[in-house]
Amino acid sequence: MKKLHYLSFSFIAICLLLTPTFVLAKEGEDTMVKENSKLERFTGIVKEVVNKEDNVILTVETEQKEPIVTVFTITNETLLYNSGTAKEIEKKEFVKGQRIEAYYDKTKARTMIYPAQISPELIIAHDGKNVGFTKVGVFDEKLTSEDNQLKLNLSKETLVVNKDGESIDQKNLVGNELIVFYKTSTRSIPAQTIPNKVVVLEEKDASNFMKFSGTIKEVSKNNKEVTLTVETNEKEPQISILVLNKDVIALNSASTKAISIESFKKGMKIDAYYDKNKPMILIYPPRISPEIIVAHEEKSGLVKVSKFDEQFVSLDKELKLQITNKTELVDEKGKKISKNDLTNKELIVFYSSPKNNQKLTTPSKIIALEYIEPVQKELNKIIENDHLIQNGVKMIPIREVAQYLGYEVMSHPKRNSVYLKLGNSSFSITRGELKYGYNRSIREFQETPVLHNKKTYVSEDILEILVPES
């Protein structure tokens, strides 16, 4: 019986021998894609190829006793490579019986249907004529993959390019998502190879947000929230449920001004942006609480949400800003800021279409966003709703905060103490004592822990070491 293909799969780790000889890598050997990679991997055999007007549809089946079937839609945006030649290929080159590896963005919302239907970011095709192997993942400063399976030894012959085929400096490899093409590797841990080609998929994360565009089909309201049913403007439309609350940044693209969540109407076109790092519930239709929503009118201007470099070029290279004295610059609360305040921030840019298909534009308004990680944002809400001030220091409820972060919390009433444990980290806190234990060291609070309404409160400086590193 065929199994349902969900958003994540289990992968088989390579068991490598310690013999330092140079050998050909095994055909079909699998590697584990770590969480730092944005891409999920699916490997299988093409069972059916359907050529449509703009797309190619591949039905792919895993090589298991109980195979998983997935339908991949190849568009003009899909990167396609041959593993042996390391060259790009055309959509029409895929054939029945071919073995492929498909990689898709695991942060994207998926429709829960069977068989799963996915538009992958990357497909690597294998053939019997050209032997070659690939590794897709993030590499550290030693050019070792973050799952410790492969280390790169670059040579002068190694071709290093971006996904557009443009040559780039080898220093841009560290910390980025790479496609590594190689012929052989050592039997060591990690395996070592001299790659013939490395493709940098993304030099930097262009935005903290995912974009969803469509037309409002239904609006429902209650005292605190407005819920929009939104349908994409495609031949095979997708539906999402957008839940707007008081925290959403709601804007009108024509006026560039903030609007109320009650002003959204049926038939209105919108762009919604939601934090790609925020966990998503796997239901259909997806239910999303966006951070930003932009309403469009018939004569609306254009809006771009992105990170920009020091020259005010968007990190996806699609737009360059020419900021003048007429450009209104504000933060997300509407307070005026200077051009220097835009550095290293996500920007909401209002602009008109660049002339002559150029990327340069003079924006009418820019809103600079202070991005906060989802974990920290939820912590801020917990602390905002429950804290006290002692001698001018903010005190936080340690049990509630620690449990949200995943700690096991144990109380010892007779000793007036609280014990926290998460993985290899542990804290021993005693009410009335300024010092506390952190692993095998002694630390000191800014203010003495206290009992209030049967809860232990500690000074918020503990968050510097309490919050696990992402």
Side-chain angles (χ1 to χ4, degrees):
M1 185 176 180
K2 296 179 180 179
K3 296 180 180 177
L4 178 62
H5 168 59
Y6 290 100
L7 296 185
S8 60
F9 300 92
S10 298
F11 297 97
I12 302 172
I14 299 174
C15 182
L16 294 169
L17 300 176
L18 293 174
T19 311
T21 55
F22 228 72
V23 296
L24 275 173
K26 263 189 175 182
E27 173 71 28
E29 77 177 354
D30 207 355
T31 56
M32 184 181 295
V33 181
K34 281 201 70 172
E35 287 301 317
N36 285 343
S37 172
K38 294 180 182 178
L39 300 178
E40 200 80 71
R41 180 187 184 190
F42 184 92
T43 301
I45 303 297
V46 177
K47 295 297 181 180
E48 186 178 357
V49 181
V50 177
N51 291 286
K52 292 195 173 183
E53 184 177 345
D54 297 319
N55 304 329
V56 173
I57 312 297
L58 303 182
T59 301
V60 183
E61 192 175 273
T62 58
E63 301 172 89
Q64 300 170 351
K65 289 183 179 179
E66 297 182 0
I68 298 168
V69 175
T70 301
V71 178
F72 292 103
T73 300
I74 303 176
T75 69
N76 292 331
E77 304 301 319
T78 311
L79 293 174
L80 307 172
Y81 289 94
N82 180 290
S83 64
T85 64
K87 293 180 179 179
E88 291 191 67
I89 57 177
E90 299 293 329
K91 291 181 292 186
K92 61 184 179 181
E93 294 184 42
F94 288 91
V95 296
K96 187 176 178 180
Q98 191 171 31
R99 183 174 176 271
I100 64 108
E101 297 171 27
Y103 295 83
Y104 57 92
D105 190 337
K106 60 189 175 187
T107 66
K108 287 183 179 177
R110 301 290 173 195
T111 304
M112 296 305 294
I113 58 175
Y114 181 78
Q117 299 188 26
I118 297 172
S119 294
E121 275 63 40
L122 166 68
I123 292 183
I124 296 171
H126 302 278
D127 62 49
K129 297 180 181 179
N130 303 288
V131 178
F133 309 97
T134 57
K135 171 72 176 176
V136 178
V138 178
F139 287 72
D140 63 18
E141 62 280 351
K142 296 180 181 179
L143 293 184
T144 300
S145 62
E146 292 197 341
D147 59 8
N148 200 40
Q149 295 298 318
L150 189 67
K151 176 176 171 55
L152 309 184
N153 298 314
L154 302 181
S155 71
K156 292 181 180 179
E157 285 72 38
T158 302
L159 180 63
V160 179
V161 297
N162 61 21
K163 60 185 179 182
D164 296 320
E166 302 166 338
S167 295
I168 59 176
D169 198 293
Q170 293 182 358
K171 66 181 181 181
N172 292 328
L173 301 183
V174 177
N176 291 317
E177 196 90 49
L178 310 179
I179 312 173
V180 179
F181 296 88
Y182 61 102
K183 296 290 185 181
T184 58
S185 64
T186 61
R187 289 191 177 183
S188 58
I189 300 178
Q192 298 192 35
T193 186
I194 300 174
N196 51 306
K197 183 177 181 179
V198 178
V199 179
V200 181
L201 291 178
E202 289 186 13
E203 295 184 45
K204 289 183 181 178
D205 197 355
S207 176
N208 292 312
F209 301 100
M210 297 291 294
K211 181 181 179 181
F212 180 85
S213 300
T215 301
I216 299 174
K217 296 299 180 181
E218 188 178 337
V219 180
S220 62
K221 304 177 181 179
N222 61 31
N223 293 332
K224 296 182 179 180
E225 296 178 339
V226 172
T227 302
L228 309 178
T229 301
V230 182
E231 187 175 85
T232 58
N233 304 315
E234 301 171 343
K235 290 182 180 179
E236 298 180 1
Q238 299 292 319
I239 293 175
S240 286
I241 308 298
L242 305 182
V243 181
L244 312 184
N245 55 39
K246 63 180 180 61
D247 297 321
V248 69
I249 299 173
L251 303 162
N252 182 291
S253 64
S255 68
T256 75
K257 293 181 180 180
I259 56 177
S260 69
I261 58 176
E262 288 79 14
S263 61
F264 289 90
K265 308 293 182 184
K266 184 177 179 179
M268 185 180 288
K269 296 186 183 300
I270 62 95
D271 292 329
Y273 299 84
Y274 57 94
D275 193 332
K276 65 173 63 172
N277 300 308
K278 185 167 57 177
M280 303 291 293
I281 300 174
L282 301 181
I283 58 174
Y284 183 78
R287 191 175 178 87
I288 301 167
S289 294
E291 278 64 39
I292 306 163
I293 185 165
V294 180
H296 297 287
E297 299 175 358
E298 288 187 8
K299 296 183 179 180
S300 292
L302 300 177
V303 179
K304 185 172 184 65
V305 178
S306 178
K307 297 176 185 176
F308 289 75
D309 64 18
E310 295 79 6
Q311 285 74 45
F312 294 106
V313 177
S314 60
L315 297 191
D316 60 9
K317 311 299 182 186
E318 291 183 355
L319 195 67
K320 177 176 174 59
L321 307 182
Q322 182 175 317
I323 300 172
T324 69
N325 293 333
K326 294 182 179 180
T327 305
E328 182 183 0
L329 306 178
V330 296
D331 63 18
E332 58 190 88
K333 295 180 180 179
K335 181 182 177 181
K336 289 186 178 182
I337 58 177
S338 69
K339 188 174 177 179
N340 293 334
D341 296 320
L342 303 178
T343 305
N344 298 323
K345 289 186 175 67
E346 187 105 16
L347 306 180
I348 305 175
V349 180
F350 297 86
Y351 65 104
S352 300
S353 291
K355 296 179 179 179
N356 301 322
N357 294 321
Q358 293 181 348
K359 296 180 179 180
L360 182 66
T361 187
T362 301
S364 59
K365 183 177 181 178
I366 298 175
I367 301 174
L369 303 174
E370 289 288 350
Y371 178 75
I372 302 174
E373 293 285 347
V375 169
Q376 187 61 52
K377 187 178 291 186
E378 188 61 33
L379 273 182
N380 291 348
K381 289 182 181 179
I382 293 172
I383 294 169
E384 181 182 349
N385 293 330
D386 187 4
H387 68 272
L388 56 90
I389 305 298
Q390 180 170 291
N391 297 325
V393 176
K394 182 180 285 188
M395 309 290 284
I396 63 175
I398 189 59
R399 174 179 287 275
E400 189 175 3
V401 168
Q403 286 180 335
Y404 170 74
L405 293 171
Y407 283 85
E408 180 183 2
V409 182
M410 291 164 280
S411 297
H412 300 282
K414 292 183 179 180
R415 290 183 249 168
N416 290 325
S417 64
V418 178
Y419 181 75
L420 316 176
K421 182 170 177 57
L422 176 64
N424 295 323
S425 295
S426 62
F427 295 79
S428 180
I429 299 166
T430 303
R431 292 189 294 273
E433 293 186 9
L434 202 59
K435 296 184 185 300
Y436 66 95
Y438 170 54
N439 293 342
R440 296 185 179 182
S441 64
I442 300 297
R443 301 292 182 98
E444 190 171 298
F445 286 114
Q446 189 177 352
E447 183 60 33
T448 305
V450 296
L451 184 67
H452 179 73
N453 290 337
K454 298 182 180 181
K455 293 182 182 180
T456 299
Y457 288 78
V458 303
S459 55
E460 67 174 349
D461 54 287
I462 195 175
L463 292 175
E464 295 178 5
I465 54 175
L466 188 69
V467 179
E469 292 185 6
S470 56

